[in-house]
């Protein structure tokens, strides 16, 4: 138990409202680089602005957040009742041949830097679902992830694997504590949430939406956390393709197999013409 005092409710509320507002700005690049096909279901404006996060609604001085660069501006779900497993579920969908690498359970002092080095070498941007308690312990490393242009998302405060059985109050605390930790450390208001172990309940989904975030799962799970061997992780990841969300881990234990697998998978996927995008 870290004993950290919770933030005043008014400030929290303001942060959530900001997050919700940011989500409401559905947006896409105004540069018109992306055709709007496939998005007929929603009444999209013809000129769409890149989503902007305005994190300073209170008089309290807070860090000025830099909106994460993204090759594809995320938007919204047609329904928040089901976690997103494929990029095409999002509206508008990403450009063809997009793929997303998500990395969970960090930051970790040994493995996160290795993952970051590899991503930098390959010029790949990823989406990190981070744990509040880890952020508290490694704030500098957390900022390094953000500063490298990767996306920072909420993966709860303590990673309770039984979250689907927890009370509304407990789930809310997990979400809010991680949110505040991430926002205070990086100036970023997370727009995406992943439940520990992909365990969702109606309560978890409702609170995810209530706090202005979209629920994210994955399409490809190499079970790298179980250390099945580099070859096994590599083969599973290479099954992924256009529109898939890949799941990997930089926290929770020895991730040397994950790093080794990614080292060969990333260039192979790029050779296939796939582009790694953040959510
Ligand atoms: Zn996790």
């Amino acid at each position: 138990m870290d004993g950290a005092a919770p933030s005043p409710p008014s400030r929290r509320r303001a942060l959530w409202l900001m997050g919700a507002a940011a989500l409401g700005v559905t947006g896409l690049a105004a540069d018109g680089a992306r055709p709007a096909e496939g998005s007929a279901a929603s009444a999209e404006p013809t000129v769409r602005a890149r989503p902007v996060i305005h994190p300073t609604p209170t008089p309290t001085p807070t860090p000025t957040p830099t909106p994460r660069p993204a090759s594809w501006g995320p938007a919204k779900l047609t329904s928040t009742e089901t976690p997103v497993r494929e990029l095409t579920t999002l509206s508008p969908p990403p450009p063809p041949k997009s793929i997303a690498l998500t990395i969970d359970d960090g930051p970790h002092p040994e493995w996160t830097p290795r993952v970051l080095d590899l991503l930098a070498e390959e010029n790949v941007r990823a989406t990190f679902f981070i744990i509040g308690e880890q952020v508290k312990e490694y704030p500098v490393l957390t900022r390094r992830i953000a500063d490298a242009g990767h996306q920072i998302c909420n993966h709860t405060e303590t990673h309770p694997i039984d979250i689907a059985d927890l009370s509304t109050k407990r789930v809310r605390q997990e979400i809010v504590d991680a949110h505040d930790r991430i926002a205070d450390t990086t100036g970023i208001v997370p727009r995406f949430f992943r439940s520990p172990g992909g365990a969702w309940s109606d309560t978890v989904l409702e609170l995810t939406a209530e706090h202005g975030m979209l629920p994210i799962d994955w399409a490809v799970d190499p079970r790298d956390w179980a250390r099945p061997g580099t070859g096994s992780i590599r083969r599973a990841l290479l099954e992924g393709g256009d529109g898939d969300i890949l799941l990997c881990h930089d926290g929770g234990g020895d991730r040397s197999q994950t790093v080794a697998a990614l080292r060969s998978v990333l260039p192979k996927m790029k050779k296939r013409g796939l582009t790694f995008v953040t959510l």
Side-chain angles (χ1 to χ4, degrees), residues 261-277:
L262 285 173
R263 189 170 293 285
S264 68
V265 165
L266 297 181
K268 279 194 172 82
M269 289 192 147
K270 288 196 296 186
K271 269 190 195 137
R272 287 187 198 166
L274 292 164
T275 300
F276 285 89
V277 298

Side-chain angles (χ1 to χ4, degrees), residues 239-275:
E239 293 291 313
D242 194 357
D244 282 339
I245 297 175
L246 311 178
L247 171 66
C248 282
H249 295 77
D250 61 344
D254 182 339
R255 299 279 82 95
S256 54
Q257 293 181 4
T258 303
V259 175
L262 285 173
R263 189 170 293 285
S264 68
V265 165
L266 297 181
K268 279 194 172 82
M269 289 192 147
K270 288 196 296 186
K271 269 190 195 137
R272 287 187 198 166
L274 292 164
T275 300

